[in-house]
Amino acid sequence: MLPYKNLLAIDKSSHTAVFKQIALHFIRLIQEGKLLPGTELPSTRILATDLGLHRKTITAAYDYLVAGNWLDSLPRKGFIVSPQLPVTKPRSYHNHRQGGYNTGPGFSYEQFPDFSYPASVSRGPEIVVDDGFPDISLLPADAMLKEYRRALEYPMLKKISSGWELEGSADFRSALCGFLTQTRGLDIRVEHLLTTRGAQMAIYVAAALIIKPGDKVIVSDPSYFFANMIFENLGAELIRIPVDDQGMRTDMVEEVLKTQAVKLLYVIPHHHHPTTVTLGVERRNHLLQLVRNYQLAVIEDDYDYDFQFQSDPYLPLASGHHEGNIIYIGSLTKVLGTPFRLGYIVAAEKFIHAAARKRILIDLRGDVFSEQVVAGLIENGDLTRLIQKANKLYCQRCDYLGNLLSTTFGETIEFKKPDGGMAMWLQFKPGVPLEKVIARAASRGLRIAGTVYHPGKGADFNAFRFGFASLDTAGLEKAVDILQAALRLTGT
Amino acid sequence: MLPYKNLLAIDKSSHTAVFKQIALHFIRLIQEGKLLPGTELPSTRILATDLGLHRKTITAAYDYLVAGNWLDSLPRKGFIVSPQLPVTKPRSYHNHRQGGYNTGPGFSYEQFPDFSYPASVSRGPEIVVDDGFPDISLLPADAMLKEYRRALEYPMLKKISSGWELEGSADFRSALCGFLTQTRGLDIRVEHLLTTRGAQMAIYVAAALIIKPGDKVIVSDPSYFFANMIFENLGAELIRIPVDDQGMRTDMVEEVLKTQAVKLLYVIPHHHHPTTVTLGVERRNHLLQLVRNYQLAVIEDDYDYDFQFQSDPYLPLASGHHEGNIIYIGSLTKVLGTPFRLGYIVAAEKFIHAAARKRILIDLRGDVFSEQVVAGLIENGDLTRLIQKANKLYCQRCDYLGNLLSTTFGETIEFKKPDGGMAMWLQFKPGVPLEKVIARAASRGLRIAGTVYHPGKGADFNAFRFGFASLDTAGLEKAVDILQAALRLTGT
């Protein structure tokens, strides 16, 4: 007899019934070929004694296995492993010699190149400079908990569960509609709103409706990495337009439009990612004019509009005269923090109709629970209070970092204090071996987790994004100190 | 002077600063053409008196508007509406005469046909028969609230916010991995797991990696509506294989595979949607054999595995010998309820690697907050307890409905009690005008919100899904009574 006492180890703390644990152990043994078809099993009495369990438990386990054709119960002979097992051979997912997914005539799939991304898993004392994330400690946890409680109470929970509006939950959309009208001068009704899981899904859904393989898409150079990934994955050909201190070069956009059929333009007018430049007034008007003249489809990614330091009044392009050609995309993630991914698309009703049906394919119902919670935060004014509080704080941190940098580095690092947002774009002198500097900094406890561009990475830039919003002044000082030391170590 | 007192109505309860409210009102008036370029505005003193506000407030509003090029401040003349406005013409999103999104050489987009879906917004006393949703009142609200509180406490919230694992949060994946191994006999490690927003995103991501336009995909007939929508949207040609009382006709699948190059097969082995049939043992083994012989890629949609009434032991096909060709998809939505959309893909490591990168395009980070909450529910055993409790209850409700139906309708309605799940497939005699019956029922307070097929809808079936899990015995009785009355009214 096999050493069942060891093979059938019972986890009393587990919430799986003991009889079922035994049954699953047997299934494993059978799958692993340790118990072959026809093998006789110990009687319930013997096994019960061996395992120190009640006989009824063993009987229940055997019945379970018989019901599943794992065992046969033979008169007089007792229980044997079934000669015809419902499933055979184990370890299908581990079996890499057999190749699995990318072998065989019938099976091929789209492979993705590996890419680096701003991972920011904080480890102990390390200081992390992120890509520009909010300070999560500002989150009104109590207010949110109140909303979670409210959403979990029965009548409300029933309402949330049984409703299904394709464009997002009604309460959230009406609260959001009010918020956007108030803050962005957008003249919209809820019919112009679709909720998504963060701005990423908004961009994906909108782009997937518009782009066919081979279509030309105008993006800035540099541009938001994950948006370019979407366009390229959809088969678009990217036309890259440089960004200067006024933002995207709209004169060069016009030159392209004169000679080529362009399907879509992607622009980030506020605190452009990664450079944090804000699109100037003349450029805005020029772009709106191009949109009208060429009936150009535009995705306006306004991911951190809510954080503008000057009473800078630039409204979104979408509040201008674009004849419905601008698809306006935003998110509450920069307000509430990375775990809370509520984004939205503002567009003409017909487009929202199609976008909602595209979203269903990807994400049947959306996050109606979180939507209910955040609708509460908007209605209570908690969201606005959070924005006002954060905006003030981030503005101070931006100034503080700016002063630190200019006094510490002088010419070595070139930067322009952004009009808002949560990150600064630090451009290093051409000579500076940025990759080395970042490695040195890491070895001294400073992890640069923001977007980095340097010649070694095939870019013409020698820069990275310094997220200042999530660090207090002490953190900013420490980060700059380490960065300075790292630069010295690399002899710059 | 315009009746500013009315036009500039101030909402004192609003959390937007009063000066900003006034400024936004002015912007609206300018956008709507009620204030034309060059128009003189009342002095700050006069407007302040008129609105009963402090003059400083008006000055702040005017400064805000001047900064935004909405107003010009002219020496001696005071404030006028700027001759060059940053934006002109309003109502871009309302303007349907100009066509907006679907006009112009530059802009076309994928249009979606309208489709009917099981909306189930509950209105008052009405009884809703859904498509097969859990009873939301079973949800352990207190346990969940505890987890929400835990997740919102600072160190944990910081951890959730700063981590970014492409395949889903580590805590959730390891908890889920344990749960799946215990319950489904899957021999997997976390490397074989990707978390998604519900099964829908899991199917979309997997299918989008595999299907190119023109590829052939085998589905059952009938099959899950929203899965077919995905495959067709990706450009697949569907090959429909009938379902009988043993599930998908694998002999017919083999015939197809002999003669055609098939890229993917989609199967629902447990409680097939919509028919609720469970795939028989012989068919399972036959299908596994076909998978190996043809190296056929399979999406196994096991959306409600956790609800099996007999100690029915059918394990997933993915626990069998498939050489890594089965992509196993599941969800916790059928356990926790429609608002909580946590799904997953189990597949070979290489496929998960690619799927994670595809998911990033759609949904950058996933729902790491909910993942943390549900990880807690799994570790505490709350999830298992919920499943056991619900399973017992649903089994009773299934029996109860079955008896009600056979005693009430005899031959008129044909059905087979499912082995598990949350819905019954009611097939009506060919003569029965199902559409009329449903309309009659609705007029009497019974809304059939489940999947409906009838000849009028271009299907060969005359049937609908009766979700029994969310209704107590009283509700089931009332629903059957009304259905009976509705049948009588239509003379059947």
Side-chain angles (χ1 to χ4, degrees), chain B residues 123-176:
Chain B
R123 312 193 203 85
E126 178 186 54
I127 288 194
V128 177
V129 169
D130 60 39
D131 199 50
F133 297 148
D135 184 336
I136 199 77
S137 68
L138 300 177
L139 201 69
D142 295 345
M144 289 188 77
L145 206 55
K146 222 179 91 226
E147 294 303 327
Y148 280 116
R149 183 178 292 105
R150 199 174 57 86
L152 282 168
E153 273 160 9
Y154 187 64
M156 177 57 87
L157 186 60
K158 178 72 181 174
K159 178 191 161 201
I160 296 171
S161 310
S162 54
W164 190 16
E165 292 107 339
L166 298 193
E167 291 80 12
S169 55
D171 291 353
F172 179 60
R173 282 165 75 221
S174 79
L176 185 62

Short mmCIF file of all heavy atoms in Angstrom, two decimals, chain B residues 123-176:
data_model
loop_
_atom_site.label_atom_id
_atom_site.label_comp_id
_atom_site.label_asym_id
_atom_site.label_seq_id
_atom_site.Cartn_x
_atom_site.Cartn_y
_atom_site.Cartn_z
N ARG B 123 -37.76 47.54 -12.15
CA ARG B 123 -38.67 48.66 -11.88
C ARG B 123 -39.75 48.18 -10.91
O ARG B 123 -40.56 47.35 -11.26
CB ARG B 123 -39.35 49.14 -13.16
CG ARG B 123 -38.41 49.36 -14.34
CD ARG B 123 -39.15 50.14 -15.42
NE ARG B 123 -38.52 49.92 -16.73
CZ ARG B 123 -38.81 48.90 -17.52
NH1 ARG B 123 -39.70 48.00 -17.14
NH2 ARG B 123 -38.23 48.76 -18.71
N GLY B 124 -39.71 48.73 -9.72
CA GLY B 124 -40.76 48.52 -8.73
C GLY B 124 -41.14 47.06 -8.52
O GLY B 124 -40.26 46.21 -8.35
N PRO B 125 -42.43 46.78 -8.58
CA PRO B 125 -42.93 45.49 -8.14
C PRO B 125 -42.67 44.39 -9.17
O PRO B 125 -42.83 43.22 -8.90
CB PRO B 125 -44.45 45.75 -8.02
CG PRO B 125 -44.72 46.80 -9.05
CD PRO B 125 -43.48 47.64 -9.13
N GLU B 126 -42.27 44.79 -10.35
CA GLU B 126 -42.05 43.86 -11.45
C GLU B 126 -41.13 42.69 -11.04
O GLU B 126 -40.21 42.86 -10.25
CB GLU B 126 -41.39 44.65 -12.58
CG GLU B 126 -41.04 43.86 -13.80
CD GLU B 126 -40.27 44.75 -14.77
OE1 GLU B 126 -39.25 45.33 -14.36
OE2 GLU B 126 -40.70 44.87 -15.92
N ILE B 127 -41.45 41.50 -11.55
CA ILE B 127 -40.56 40.37 -11.34
C ILE B 127 -39.67 40.22 -12.57
O ILE B 127 -40.15 40.25 -13.70
CB ILE B 127 -41.36 39.06 -11.15
CG1 ILE B 127 -42.03 39.07 -9.78
CG2 ILE B 127 -40.44 37.86 -11.27
CD1 ILE B 127 -42.54 37.72 -9.36
N VAL B 128 -38.37 40.13 -12.33
CA VAL B 128 -37.43 40.01 -13.44
C VAL B 128 -36.85 38.60 -13.46
O VAL B 128 -36.31 38.14 -12.46
CB VAL B 128 -36.28 41.04 -13.32
CG1 VAL B 128 -35.28 40.84 -14.45
CG2 VAL B 128 -36.84 42.45 -13.33
N VAL B 129 -37.03 37.92 -14.59
CA VAL B 129 -36.34 36.64 -14.79
C VAL B 129 -35.09 36.94 -15.60
O VAL B 129 -35.19 37.31 -16.78
CB VAL B 129 -37.25 35.64 -15.53
CG1 VAL B 129 -36.44 34.42 -15.96
CG2 VAL B 129 -38.40 35.21 -14.63
N ASP B 130 -33.94 36.87 -14.94
CA ASP B 130 -32.70 37.24 -15.63
C ASP B 130 -32.10 36.06 -16.38
O ASP B 130 -32.68 34.98 -16.44
CB ASP B 130 -31.70 37.85 -14.64
CG ASP B 130 -31.32 36.88 -13.53
OD1 ASP B 130 -31.17 35.67 -13.82
OD2 ASP B 130 -31.20 37.32 -12.36
N ASP B 131 -30.90 36.27 -16.93
CA ASP B 131 -30.27 35.28 -17.80
C ASP B 131 -29.58 34.16 -17.01
O ASP B 131 -29.07 33.20 -17.58
CB ASP B 131 -29.25 35.98 -18.70
CG ASP B 131 -28.89 35.14 -19.91
OD1 ASP B 131 -29.82 34.67 -20.59
OD2 ASP B 131 -27.69 34.91 -20.14
N GLY B 132 -29.57 34.33 -15.67
CA GLY B 132 -28.88 33.35 -14.82
C GLY B 132 -27.81 34.06 -14.01
O GLY B 132 -26.62 33.82 -14.19
N PHE B 133 -28.25 34.93 -13.12
CA PHE B 133 -27.33 35.70 -12.28
C PHE B 133 -27.45 35.22 -10.85
O PHE B 133 -28.50 34.72 -10.43
CB PHE B 133 -27.64 37.19 -12.35
CG PHE B 133 -27.47 37.80 -13.71
CD1 PHE B 133 -28.27 38.85 -14.14
CD2 PHE B 133 -26.51 37.30 -14.59
CE1 PHE B 133 -28.12 39.40 -15.40
CE2 PHE B 133 -26.35 37.84 -15.86
CZ PHE B 133 -27.16 38.90 -16.27
N PRO B 134 -26.38 35.37 -10.07
CA PRO B 134 -26.44 34.95 -8.67
C PRO B 134 -27.41 35.81 -7.85
O PRO B 134 -27.81 36.89 -8.28
CB PRO B 134 -25.00 35.14 -8.18
CG PRO B 134 -24.36 36.06 -9.14
CD PRO B 134 -25.06 35.87 -10.44
N ASP B 135 -27.77 35.30 -6.68
CA ASP B 135 -28.62 36.03 -5.75
C ASP B 135 -27.71 36.97 -4.96
O ASP B 135 -26.98 36.55 -4.06
CB ASP B 135 -29.34 35.06 -4.82
CG ASP B 135 -30.32 35.76 -3.89
OD1 ASP B 135 -30.13 36.98 -3.65
OD2 ASP B 135 -31.25 35.11 -3.43
N ILE B 136 -27.78 38.25 -5.31
CA ILE B 136 -26.85 39.23 -4.75
C ILE B 136 -26.99 39.37 -3.23
O ILE B 136 -26.06 39.80 -2.56
CB ILE B 136 -27.06 40.59 -5.47
CG1 ILE B 136 -25.85 41.51 -5.29
CG2 ILE B 136 -28.33 41.27 -5.00
CD1 ILE B 136 -24.68 41.16 -6.16
N SER B 137 -28.15 38.93 -2.71
CA SER B 137 -28.36 39.11 -1.26
C SER B 137 -27.49 38.15 -0.44
O SER B 137 -27.36 38.28 0.77
CB SER B 137 -29.83 38.89 -0.92
OG SER B 137 -30.18 37.53 -1.12
N LEU B 138 -26.88 37.16 -1.12
CA LEU B 138 -26.01 36.22 -0.41
C LEU B 138 -24.61 36.79 -0.16
O LEU B 138 -23.84 36.26 0.63
CB LEU B 138 -25.87 34.92 -1.21
CG LEU B 138 -27.14 34.13 -1.49
CD1 LEU B 138 -26.83 32.92 -2.36
CD2 LEU B 138 -27.81 33.70 -0.20
N LEU B 139 -24.30 37.88 -0.85
CA LEU B 139 -22.95 38.45 -0.77
C LEU B 139 -22.58 38.79 0.68
O LEU B 139 -23.35 39.43 1.38
CB LEU B 139 -22.89 39.72 -1.63
CG LEU B 139 -21.52 40.19 -2.09
CD1 LEU B 139 -20.93 39.23 -3.11
CD2 LEU B 139 -21.61 41.58 -2.71
N PRO B 140 -21.41 38.33 1.14
CA PRO B 140 -20.99 38.65 2.51
C PRO B 140 -20.52 40.10 2.62
O PRO B 140 -19.33 40.38 2.62
CB PRO B 140 -19.84 37.67 2.76
CG PRO B 140 -19.28 37.40 1.39
CD PRO B 140 -20.42 37.51 0.42
N ALA B 141 -21.51 41.02 2.70
CA ALA B 141 -21.21 42.45 2.63
C ALA B 141 -20.24 42.88 3.73
O ALA B 141 -19.30 43.64 3.46
CB ALA B 141 -22.51 43.25 2.72
N ASP B 142 -20.42 42.36 4.95
CA ASP B 142 -19.54 42.78 6.05
C ASP B 142 -18.11 42.34 5.80
O ASP B 142 -17.16 43.11 5.96
CB ASP B 142 -20.04 42.21 7.39
CG ASP B 142 -21.40 42.79 7.76
OD1 ASP B 142 -21.79 43.81 7.15
OD2 ASP B 142 -22.08 42.20 8.62
N ALA B 143 -17.95 41.10 5.36
CA ALA B 143 -16.60 40.61 5.07
C ALA B 143 -15.96 41.46 3.97
O ALA B 143 -14.78 41.80 4.03
CB ALA B 143 -16.67 39.15 4.64
N MET B 144 -16.77 41.82 2.98
CA MET B 144 -16.22 42.62 1.88
C MET B 144 -15.83 44.01 2.37
O MET B 144 -14.77 44.52 2.04
CB MET B 144 -17.22 42.73 0.74
CG MET B 144 -17.40 41.42 0.00
SD MET B 144 -18.39 41.62 -1.49
CE MET B 144 -17.20 42.38 -2.60
N LEU B 145 -16.71 44.58 3.20
CA LEU B 145 -16.42 45.91 3.73
C LEU B 145 -15.12 45.89 4.52
O LEU B 145 -14.30 46.80 4.44
CB LEU B 145 -17.58 46.36 4.62
CG LEU B 145 -17.78 47.87 4.76
CD1 LEU B 145 -17.92 48.53 3.40
CD2 LEU B 145 -19.01 48.15 5.61
N LYS B 146 -14.92 44.79 5.25
CA LYS B 146 -13.68 44.64 6.02
C LYS B 146 -12.48 44.67 5.06
O LYS B 146 -11.47 45.33 5.31
CB LYS B 146 -13.71 43.32 6.79
CG LYS B 146 -13.20 43.40 8.22
CD LYS B 146 -13.28 42.06 8.95
CE LYS B 146 -12.01 41.24 8.81
NZ LYS B 146 -12.23 39.83 8.46
N GLU B 147 -12.64 43.98 3.95
CA GLU B 147 -11.54 43.94 2.97
C GLU B 147 -11.32 45.31 2.34
O GLU B 147 -10.18 45.70 2.08
CB GLU B 147 -11.82 42.90 1.90
CG GLU B 147 -11.85 41.46 2.42
CD GLU B 147 -10.54 41.08 3.11
OE1 GLU B 147 -9.47 41.57 2.71
OE2 GLU B 147 -10.62 40.31 4.09
N TYR B 148 -12.41 46.03 2.06
CA TYR B 148 -12.26 47.38 1.50
C TYR B 148 -11.52 48.27 2.48
O TYR B 148 -10.61 49.01 2.11
CB TYR B 148 -13.63 47.99 1.16
CG TYR B 148 -14.20 47.50 -0.16
CD1 TYR B 148 -15.38 46.76 -0.20
CD2 TYR B 148 -13.55 47.76 -1.36
CE1 TYR B 148 -15.89 46.29 -1.40
CE2 TYR B 148 -14.05 47.30 -2.57
CZ TYR B 148 -15.23 46.57 -2.59
OH TYR B 148 -15.73 46.11 -3.78
N ARG B 149 -11.90 48.14 3.78
CA ARG B 149 -11.21 48.96 4.78
C ARG B 149 -9.72 48.63 4.79
O ARG B 149 -8.87 49.51 4.74
CB ARG B 149 -11.83 48.72 6.17
CG ARG B 149 -11.22 49.62 7.26
CD ARG B 149 -11.87 49.42 8.63
NE ARG B 149 -13.25 49.88 8.67
CZ ARG B 149 -14.32 49.07 8.66
NH1 ARG B 149 -14.16 47.76 8.61
NH2 ARG B 149 -15.53 49.56 8.69
N ARG B 150 -9.43 47.34 4.77
CA ARG B 150 -8.04 46.88 4.81
C ARG B 150 -7.27 47.45 3.60
O ARG B 150 -6.15 47.95 3.73
CB ARG B 150 -8.01 45.35 4.78
CG ARG B 150 -6.73 44.70 5.25
CD ARG B 150 -6.89 43.18 5.31
NE ARG B 150 -7.28 42.62 4.02
CZ ARG B 150 -6.42 42.28 3.05
NH1 ARG B 150 -5.12 42.46 3.23
NH2 ARG B 150 -6.85 41.78 1.90
N ALA B 151 -7.92 47.40 2.45
CA ALA B 151 -7.23 47.84 1.22
C ALA B 151 -7.02 49.36 1.21
O ALA B 151 -6.10 49.85 0.57
CB ALA B 151 -8.04 47.41 0.01
N LEU B 152 -7.88 50.08 1.94
CA LEU B 152 -7.77 51.55 1.95
C LEU B 152 -6.83 52.06 3.02
O LEU B 152 -6.52 53.25 3.07
CB LEU B 152 -9.16 52.19 2.15
CG LEU B 152 -10.07 52.21 0.92
CD1 LEU B 152 -11.49 52.58 1.32
CD2 LEU B 152 -9.54 53.17 -0.13
N GLU B 153 -6.35 51.15 3.91
CA GLU B 153 -5.41 51.60 4.94
C GLU B 153 -4.04 51.84 4.32
O GLU B 153 -3.64 51.12 3.40
CB GLU B 153 -5.32 50.56 6.07
CG GLU B 153 -6.41 50.78 7.12
CD GLU B 153 -6.66 49.54 7.96
OE1 GLU B 153 -5.88 48.56 7.84
OE2 GLU B 153 -7.65 49.53 8.71
N TYR B 154 -3.32 52.85 4.87
CA TYR B 154 -2.20 53.37 4.11
C TYR B 154 -1.16 52.37 3.60
O TYR B 154 -0.96 52.30 2.39
CB TYR B 154 -1.52 54.54 4.82
CG TYR B 154 -0.48 55.15 3.90
CD1 TYR B 154 -0.89 55.75 2.71
CD2 TYR B 154 0.86 55.04 4.16
CE1 TYR B 154 0.03 56.26 1.82
CE2 TYR B 154 1.80 55.56 3.27
CZ TYR B 154 1.38 56.16 2.10
OH TYR B 154 2.29 56.65 1.21
N PRO B 155 -0.54 51.60 4.47
CA PRO B 155 0.54 50.77 3.89
C PRO B 155 0.04 49.89 2.75
O PRO B 155 0.67 49.79 1.70
CB PRO B 155 1.06 49.95 5.07
CG PRO B 155 0.11 50.17 6.18
CD PRO B 155 -0.71 51.37 5.89
N MET B 156 -1.15 49.31 2.96
CA MET B 156 -1.70 48.44 1.91
C MET B 156 -2.04 49.23 0.65
O MET B 156 -1.70 48.83 -0.46
CB MET B 156 -2.95 47.72 2.45
CG MET B 156 -3.65 46.85 1.43
SD MET B 156 -2.57 45.58 0.71
CE MET B 156 -2.79 44.28 1.94
N LEU B 157 -2.67 50.39 0.85
CA LEU B 157 -3.06 51.20 -0.30
C LEU B 157 -1.81 51.62 -1.10
O LEU B 157 -1.80 51.58 -2.32
CB LEU B 157 -3.81 52.45 0.17
CG LEU B 157 -4.41 53.33 -0.93
CD1 LEU B 157 -5.42 52.54 -1.77
CD2 LEU B 157 -5.08 54.56 -0.33
N LYS B 158 -0.76 51.93 -0.36
CA LYS B 158 0.51 52.31 -1.02
C LYS B 158 1.02 51.14 -1.84
O LYS B 158 1.44 51.30 -2.99
CB LYS B 158 1.53 52.73 0.05
CG LYS B 158 2.90 53.09 -0.50
CD LYS B 158 2.88 54.42 -1.22
CE LYS B 158 4.25 54.79 -1.78
NZ LYS B 158 4.19 56.01 -2.62
N LYS B 159 0.97 49.96 -1.24
CA LYS B 159 1.44 48.76 -1.94
C LYS B 159 0.62 48.53 -3.22
O LYS B 159 1.18 48.34 -4.30
CB LYS B 159 1.31 47.55 -1.01
CG LYS B 159 1.75 46.23 -1.64
CD LYS B 159 1.34 45.04 -0.76
CE LYS B 159 1.35 43.76 -1.57
NZ LYS B 159 0.53 42.69 -0.97
N ILE B 160 -0.70 48.62 -3.07
CA ILE B 160 -1.57 48.40 -4.23
C ILE B 160 -1.27 49.43 -5.31
O ILE B 160 -1.24 49.11 -6.50
CB ILE B 160 -3.06 48.51 -3.80
CG1 ILE B 160 -3.42 47.41 -2.81
CG2 ILE B 160 -3.96 48.43 -5.02
CD1 ILE B 160 -4.80 47.58 -2.19
N SER B 161 -1.01 50.67 -4.89
CA SER B 161 -0.83 51.75 -5.86
C SER B 161 0.50 51.67 -6.58
O SER B 161 0.58 51.99 -7.77
CB SER B 161 -0.90 53.10 -5.14
OG SER B 161 -2.03 53.15 -4.33
N SER B 162 1.53 51.24 -5.86
CA SER B 162 2.86 51.35 -6.46
C SER B 162 3.27 50.10 -7.20
O SER B 162 4.18 50.13 -8.02
CB SER B 162 3.89 51.68 -5.38
OG SER B 162 3.81 50.72 -4.35
N GLY B 163 2.58 49.00 -6.94
CA GLY B 163 2.94 47.78 -7.66
C GLY B 163 2.38 47.79 -9.07
O GLY B 163 1.40 48.45 -9.34
N TRP B 164 3.05 47.08 -9.94
CA TRP B 164 2.48 46.88 -11.27
C TRP B 164 2.97 45.58 -11.87
O TRP B 164 4.01 45.53 -12.48
CB TRP B 164 2.79 48.05 -12.20
CG TRP B 164 2.01 47.96 -13.48
CD1 TRP B 164 0.91 47.18 -13.72
CD2 TRP B 164 2.26 48.66 -14.70
NE1 TRP B 164 0.46 47.36 -15.02
CE2 TRP B 164 1.27 48.26 -15.64
CE3 TRP B 164 3.23 49.58 -15.09
CZ2 TRP B 164 1.22 48.76 -16.93
CZ3 TRP B 164 3.17 50.08 -16.39
CH2 TRP B 164 2.17 49.67 -17.29
N GLU B 165 2.18 44.51 -11.64
CA GLU B 165 2.50 43.24 -12.28
C GLU B 165 1.60 43.11 -13.50
O GLU B 165 0.38 43.20 -13.38
CB GLU B 165 2.26 42.09 -11.31
CG GLU B 165 3.23 42.06 -10.15
CD GLU B 165 2.62 42.47 -8.83
OE1 GLU B 165 1.57 43.14 -8.84
OE2 GLU B 165 3.18 42.12 -7.79
N LEU B 166 2.23 42.92 -14.65
CA LEU B 166 1.46 42.92 -15.90
C LEU B 166 0.37 41.88 -15.92
O LEU B 166 -0.65 42.05 -16.57
CB LEU B 166 2.41 42.69 -17.10
CG LEU B 166 3.49 43.73 -17.34
CD1 LEU B 166 4.11 43.51 -18.70
CD2 LEU B 166 2.96 45.13 -17.22
N GLU B 167 0.57 40.76 -15.23
CA GLU B 167 -0.40 39.67 -15.30
C GLU B 167 -1.48 39.75 -14.22
O GLU B 167 -2.36 38.90 -14.16
CB GLU B 167 0.31 38.31 -15.21
CG GLU B 167 1.16 37.98 -16.44
CD GLU B 167 2.51 38.68 -16.41
OE1 GLU B 167 2.88 39.22 -15.36
OE2 GLU B 167 3.18 38.70 -17.47
N GLY B 168 -1.42 40.79 -13.38
CA GLY B 168 -2.38 40.92 -12.29
C GLY B 168 -1.65 40.92 -10.97
O GLY B 168 -0.51 40.49 -10.88
N SER B 169 -2.32 41.39 -9.91
CA SER B 169 -1.63 41.55 -8.64
C SER B 169 -1.24 40.19 -8.06
O SER B 169 -1.99 39.22 -8.13
CB SER B 169 -2.51 42.30 -7.64
OG SER B 169 -3.75 41.64 -7.50
N ALA B 170 -0.04 40.15 -7.48
CA ALA B 170 0.55 38.88 -7.00
C ALA B 170 -0.35 38.19 -5.97
O ALA B 170 -0.61 36.99 -6.07
CB ALA B 170 1.92 39.15 -6.41
N ASP B 171 -0.86 38.95 -5.00
CA ASP B 171 -1.68 38.35 -3.95
C ASP B 171 -2.90 37.66 -4.54
O ASP B 171 -3.23 36.53 -4.17
CB ASP B 171 -2.16 39.43 -2.95
CG ASP B 171 -1.02 39.98 -2.12
OD1 ASP B 171 0.10 39.43 -2.22
OD2 ASP B 171 -1.24 40.97 -1.38
N PHE B 172 -3.56 38.33 -5.47
CA PHE B 172 -4.77 37.76 -6.05
C PHE B 172 -4.44 36.53 -6.88
O PHE B 172 -5.11 35.50 -6.77
CB PHE B 172 -5.48 38.80 -6.92
CG PHE B 172 -6.74 38.29 -7.57
CD1 PHE B 172 -7.79 37.83 -6.81
CD2 PHE B 172 -6.86 38.26 -8.95
CE1 PHE B 172 -8.95 37.36 -7.41
CE2 PHE B 172 -8.01 37.80 -9.56
CZ PHE B 172 -9.07 37.35 -8.78
N ARG B 173 -3.39 36.62 -7.67
CA ARG B 173 -3.07 35.49 -8.53
C ARG B 173 -2.68 34.27 -7.71
O ARG B 173 -3.05 33.15 -8.05
CB ARG B 173 -1.97 35.86 -9.52
CG ARG B 173 -2.51 36.69 -10.69
CD ARG B 173 -1.40 37.35 -11.45
NE ARG B 173 -0.67 36.42 -12.30
CZ ARG B 173 0.66 36.43 -12.45
NH1 ARG B 173 1.39 37.28 -11.77
NH2 ARG B 173 1.24 35.58 -13.26
N SER B 174 -1.97 34.47 -6.60
CA SER B 174 -1.57 33.28 -5.83
C SER B 174 -2.80 32.71 -5.10
O SER B 174 -2.97 31.49 -5.04
CB SER B 174 -0.44 33.61 -4.86
OG SER B 174 -0.92 34.25 -3.72
N ALA B 175 -3.67 33.59 -4.61
CA ALA B 175 -4.90 33.09 -3.97
C ALA B 175 -5.76 32.35 -5.01
O ALA B 175 -6.24 31.24 -4.77
CB ALA B 175 -5.68 34.24 -3.36
N LEU B 176 -5.90 32.97 -6.18
CA LEU B 176 -6.72 32.37 -7.24
C LEU B 176 -6.12 31.04 -7.70
O LEU B 176 -6.83 30.06 -7.91
CB LEU B 176 -6.82 33.34 -8.41
CG LEU B 176 -7.73 32.94 -9.57
CD1 LEU B 176 -9.17 32.81 -9.10
CD2 LEU B 176 -7.63 33.95 -10.70
#
